[in-house]
């Protein structure tokens, strides 16, 4: 049984690692774009006394995507804030079992969140356009396309799907640990370098 779980976990963990590496790279780009948008707004608002209509919304757009793409890596590496006094106070096996139960609760919440996220992308709210974000539709910048709100809400859906994938991996890791084969688990890299894994 444990061998089968490890056989599933190794490629699943490698796939998660590769997808999350791409997500970290895109998340870093979104963070940089957010900083640029905020700096542009500061310069125009305070330097030229003429606030632009788009930087605030562009920064919010980038922040949502950065969060959706970076949060799964933090979850996988144990970077979320956690109250683990009870788990650490319990004997090792009981603490691992409690961790597994909490991961299963998290899995249920994430499954509901996937449905909510998809509803936000495809539902009534996703049909609206953003207030001030436009993309040029031709090289002469004569035709502009107003970005739909669903593109912003897609960050929620993508983030929750990635969190769900990481959660499944963590559940498998917990099961292997509870079965006494924790030393055989592949190591999750904890490098802070973007794209390193």
């Amino acid at each position: 049984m444990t061998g089968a779980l490890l056989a599933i976990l190794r490629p699943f963990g490698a796939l998660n690692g590769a997808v999350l590496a791409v997500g970290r790279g895109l998340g870093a780009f979104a963070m940089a774009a957010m900083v640029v948008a905020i700096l542009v707004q500061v310069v125009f608002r305070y330097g030229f006394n003429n606030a632009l209509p788009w930087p605030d919304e562009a920064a919010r757009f980038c922040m949502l995507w950065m969060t959706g793409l970076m949060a799964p890596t933090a979850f996988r590496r144990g970077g979320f804030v956690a109250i683990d006094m009870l788990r650490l106070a319990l004997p090792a096996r009981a603490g691992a079992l409690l961790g597994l139960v909490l991961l299963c609760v998290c899995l249920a919440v994430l499954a509901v969140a996937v449905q909510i996220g998809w509803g936000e992308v495809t539902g009534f709210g996703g049909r609206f356009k953003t207030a001030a974000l436009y993309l040029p539709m031709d090289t002469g910048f004569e035709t502009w396309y107003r970005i739909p709100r669903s593109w912003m809400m897609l960050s929620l859906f993508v983030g929750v799907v990635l969190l769900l994938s990481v959660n499944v991996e963590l559940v498998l890791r917990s099961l292997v640990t509870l079965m006494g084969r924790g030393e055989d688990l592949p190591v999750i890299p904890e490098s802070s370098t973007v794209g390193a894994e």
Side-chain angles (χ1 to χ4, degrees):
M1 177 72 172
T2 310
L5 286 176
L6 283 168
I8 293 169
L9 182 60
R10 285 190 179 102
F12 191 68
L15 178 65
N16 269 349
V19 170
L20 294 180
V22 171
R24 283 192 306 279
L26 292 172
F29 176 78
M31 187 184 321
M34 178 181 70
V35 169
V36 168
I38 291 168
L39 289 175
V40 165
Q41 182 69 320
V42 167
V43 167
F44 274 82
R45 178 172 292 181
Y46 299 108
F48 302 122
N49 199 24
N50 184 18
L52 298 173
W54 60 268
D56 294 336
E57 197 160 1
R60 189 169 33 254
F61 185 90
C62 291
M63 181 186 64
L64 288 170
W65 274 102
M66 176 202 58
T67 303
L69 293 168
M70 296 289 223
T73 294
F75 183 41
R76 187 176 194 229
R77 295 178 180 174
F80 281 4
V81 174
I83 301 172
D84 54 6
M85 293 180 336
L86 178 61
R87 185 181 58 82
L88 294 175
L90 293 172
R93 193 159 179 82
L97 186 59
L98 176 62
L100 178 61
V101 168
L102 293 174
L103 283 171
C104 288
V105 169
C106 186
L107 188 66
V109 169
L110 287 169
V112 172
V114 166
Q115 295 172 1
I116 292 170
W118 184 247
E120 285 294 319
V121 171
T122 61
F124 179 71
R127 295 187 183 130
F128 295 107
K129 304 291 185 186
T130 58
L133 287 180
Y134 293 86
L135 287 177
M137 294 302 291
D138 57 26
T139 55
F141 296 100
E142 294 173 10
T143 308
W144 290 82
Y145 176 73
R146 202 159 150 197
I147 296 177
R149 181 180 174 271
S150 60
W151 290 13
M152 195 178 292
M153 299 314 294
L154 187 61
S155 65
L156 167 70
F157 179 71
V158 168
V160 171
V161 167
L162 292 174
L163 284 167
L164 185 72
S165 179
V166 167
N167 191 280
V168 169
E169 178 187 358
L170 295 177
V171 166
L172 292 172
R173 293 177 74 83
S174 291
L175 287 171
V176 169
T177 301
L178 278 170
M179 293 177 178
R181 299 266 313 262
E183 69 279 353
D184 295 334
L185 289 171
V187 176
I188 295 175
E190 295 192 19
S191 170
S192 61
T193 306
V194 173
E197 247 191 76

